[in-house]
Amino acid sequence: MREIPVNQVIDLVERLCIEANSLLGRDIAASLEEALAHEESPLGRDILQQLLDNAALARQTGGPMCQDTGVAVVFVEIGEEVHVAGGSLENAINEGVRRGYLNGYLRKSVVSDPLFKRKNTGDNTPAVIHYRLVAGDKLRITVAPKGAGSENMSGLKMLKPSDGVEGLKRFVLEIVDSAGSNPCPPIVVGVGVGGTMEKAALLAKEALVRPINQRHPDAAVAQLEQELLELINQLGIGPQGLGGRFTALAVNIEIFPTHIACLPVAVNINCHCTRHAEGIL
Amino acid sequence: MEKIRLKPPLDEKMARSLKVGDQVLISGSIYAARDAAHKLMVEALERGESLPFDPMDQIIYYVGPCPARPGEPIGAAGPTTSGRMDAYAPLLISKGMRGMIGKGLRSSAVIEAMQKYGGVYFAAIGGAGALLARRIKRAEVIAYPELGPEALYRFEVEDFPAIVVIDAAGNNLYKIGQEQYRRVDRL
């Protein structure tokens, strides 16, 4: 059994919260450059250039790219041969989020209860944490701060198996079309297909942390990703929803086996910067 | 494209002269508030109380900024989704609020109020919070400090860039722009 001191987890999560918010991924930057070269709308080009300037400024100053520094979604892969020593893993992750949002001057956007008082917890905790037990002696942590402008535009539908691929395409397009300008396009679209209701939602979120220049290993799924991207970009929503060719930079799909009677599809939308940062202990 | 320089207060005549697609640079005082502060303002009006500031001919920016880092007046400060303020905006427009800055579509009730009273809706670039913060020279919480990032602020801005996306005649750049590039008829 390999021991990892709890302080290492806290330090890593603190760093990842700040990095994810201030550093635009290289895959995203390259995709924005590509969009800038091909966008037909002059206003759209102007907007894409400003998003690139914004990312450069955030990288240079170490400050956040966007004021909505999100709820901290944390994916944790725990090796079966790892023991976190000196405290609880969950407490350590939340302490890392608390320090990251305080020391990084990030906005605290979490309210204690969704319905009644909606009082800000003041430190952006609790994080939304997803654990997965894997083989090995490593701990892999991905922090994916999720802003609400895009999160609010997401959706889930339990399709019938007979709806098939066409039904899925229609649903994804409906979601993106009704999201329009709200999620700060150009967006990244995560699609989760299969499993159960909650599994599809989780797959859609996991799809958003896959690099956008990396297609799904299954050729049929990869082709569907490409086809959906082209369909979305025919909607005309464009940068910031003011019209143009680039509504989305990528569609990432994750799939999972399902019940004979099920076809769950979840669509999770992310804004252009699709923030996430990963570290391994 | 020539940018129009605006300095609040923004009177009805000037607001009605702005057309969709106009790019503006705003300098001077603007107010900043989002969901929770709007709710408190509307509740105050419903109780017959006055607002923490006089909304007549003023511009409100829908934003919940990041905390300021040492030596800076404010952290990242891009627009939030305006639709969440739709429930509150018509009442504020009826009290003289002239301009709104945010992102995303507005409800028909908001657009009708804009047409009736002469309001204008600007979009700032969502996701460009670091860049936009550079145009905010001073920030001061003027009410509801207990709301944290949702407090009501007064900003001093210099050349703050925005685009007229819905004008006082009800023209909507989101619709016009998207129709121009749309290549699918129906889903």
Side-chain angles (χ1 to χ4, degrees):
Chain A
M1 198 57 108
R2 179 172 164 247
E3 287 208 340
I4 297 177
V6 79
N7 281 339
Q8 286 188 16
V9 176
I10 297 174
D11 290 347
L12 176 62
V13 171
E14 175 181 359
R15 179 167 66 80
L16 294 177
C17 287
I18 296 171
E19 272 184 22
N21 272 297
S22 62
L23 301 179
L24 186 70
R26 290 182 199 287
D27 54 331
I28 306 280
S31 179
L32 281 175
E33 295 276 6
E34 181 79 12
L36 180 60
H38 294 101
E39 177 56 64
E40 291 167 24
S41 152
L43 185 55
R45 284 198 298 275
D46 186 36
I47 290 162
L48 293 167
Q49 183 61 57
Q50 292 195 48
L51 293 178
L52 282 162
D53 292 348
N54 185 70
L57 179 61
R59 182 174 286 270
Q60 179 200 325
T61 61
M65 290 177 275
C66 178
Q67 75 290 340
D68 186 354
T69 49
V71 59
V73 175
V74 184
F75 293 102
V76 190
E77 285 183 11
I78 313 164
E80 285 164 347
E81 295 153 51
V82 170
H83 171 64
V84 174
S88 106
L89 175 59
E90 183 136 335
N91 287 347
I93 291 168
N94 278 316
E95 183 57 28
V97 167
R98 186 175 291 121
R99 292 186 194 177
Y101 276 73
L102 181 74
N103 298 334
Y105 296 90
L106 306 176
R107 195 180 82 187
K108 290 79 180 169
S109 307
V110 175
V111 291
S112 55
D113 75 88
L115 268 183
F116 302 105
K117 291 195 172 138
R118 292 190 67 90
K119 187 174 161 26
N120 199 303
T121 63
D123 60 6
N124 223 49
T125 68
V128 175
I129 309 172
H130 303 290
Y131 298 101
R132 205 154 71 91
L133 205 56
V134 298
D137 65 352
K138 298 273 195 294
L139 188 65
R140 183 208 291 258
I141 298 179
T142 305
V143 176
K146 194 69 178 80
S150 58
E151 189 73 356
N152 281 342
M153 298 295 117
S154 303
L156 179 127
K157 195 168 184 181
M158 304 305 283
L159 298 179
K160 290 192 267 299
S162 63
D163 292 328
V165 177
E166 286 309 309
L168 177 144
K169 285 196 231 171
R170 209 175 309 121
F171 178 57
V172 174
L173 283 175
E174 271 169 22
I175 289 282
V176 173
D177 200 31
S178 63
S181 52
N182 286 346
C184 299
I187 56 177
V188 174
V189 182
V191 182
V193 189
T196 48
M197 184 191 82
E198 84 288 2
K199 180 68 180 177
L202 187 54
L203 289 168
K205 186 133 272 153
E206 284 169 347
L208 292 173
V209 298
R210 193 212 307 160
I212 63 167
N213 51 10
Q214 206 179 86
R215 299 274 53 84
H216 194 279
D218 181 311
V221 180
Q223 196 190 328
L224 184 58
E225 289 176 337
Q226 189 54 36
E227 203 180 326
L228 273 170
L229 177 62
E230 284 164 18
L231 285 168
I232 287 169
N233 284 337
Q234 287 177 15
L235 291 172
I237 294 167
Q240 294 290 314
L242 296 170
R245 290 270 68 87
F246 287 85
T247 301
L249 299 175
V251 177
N252 283 0
I253 303 175
E254 295 296 337
I255 58 170
F256 194 83
T258 190
H259 188 283
I260 47 174
C262 269
L263 177 50
V265 178
V267 183
N268 200 188
I269 294 182
N270 228 345
C271 61
H272 83 280
C273 56
T274 298
R275 297 164 293 190
H276 54 95
E278 179 194 287
I280 297 171
L281 291 173
Chain B
M1 188 180 175
E2 192 65 27
K3 296 190 176 172
I4 299 167
R5 291 185 177 275
L6 291 182
K7 202 167 163 47
L10 181 60
D11 65 22
E12 183 178 347
K13 187 167 170 247
M14 183 64 196
R16 286 194 188 275
S17 75
L18 293 169
K19 299 295 170 215
V20 283
D22 284 349
Q23 298 199 28
V24 303
L25 293 171
I26 303 167
S27 296
S29 292
I30 62 173
Y31 295 85
R34 38 177 292 147
D35 315 36
H38 271 79
K39 185 164 183 276
L40 293 180
M41 284 194 284
V42 165
E43 284 169 0
L45 288 173
E46 283 166 353
R47 284 193 303 267
E49 298 166 11
S50 59
L51 293 178
F53 69 101
D54 181 1
M56 182 53 72
D57 293 341
Q58 299 303 321
I59 296 174
I60 197 155
Y61 181 23
Y62 300 144
V63 56
C66 275
R69 302 189 321 147
E72 292 176 358
I74 198 146
T80 196
T81 309
S82 307
R84 293 197 317 274
M85 269 54 75
D86 283 355
Y88 314 112
L91 181 62
L92 293 176
I93 295 168
S94 77
K95 300 288 178 190
M97 181 72 70
R98 195 65 65 193
M100 298 163 281
I101 308 173
K103 66 172 168 96
L105 280 172
R106 308 308 303 270
S107 70
S108 52
V110 174
I111 297 172
E112 279 162 26
M114 288 168 56
Q115 289 173 290
K116 182 172 175 191
Y117 296 99
V120 58
Y121 174 49
F122 304 96
I125 296 182
L131 213 53
L132 289 167
R134 291 248 153 149
R135 308 298 180 101
I136 301 168
K137 301 300 173 186
R138 276 213 317 274
E140 166 193 16
V141 173
I142 58 166
Y144 318 133
E146 68 280 9
L147 296 180
E150 294 198 84
L152 177 62
Y153 285 82
R154 184 188 292 116
F155 289 164
E156 290 298 322
V157 297
E158 206 175 285
D159 291 341
F160 188 93
I163 305 160
V164 177
V165 284
I166 303 178
D167 61 27
N171 301 306
N172 187 331
L173 188 59
Y174 288 117
K175 282 188 187 156
I176 300 166
Q178 293 182 18
E179 276 162 12
Q180 203 180 333
Y181 292 93
R182 198 171 176 96
R183 285 181 187 164
V184 280
D185 289 339
R186 61 190 175 84
L187 299 177

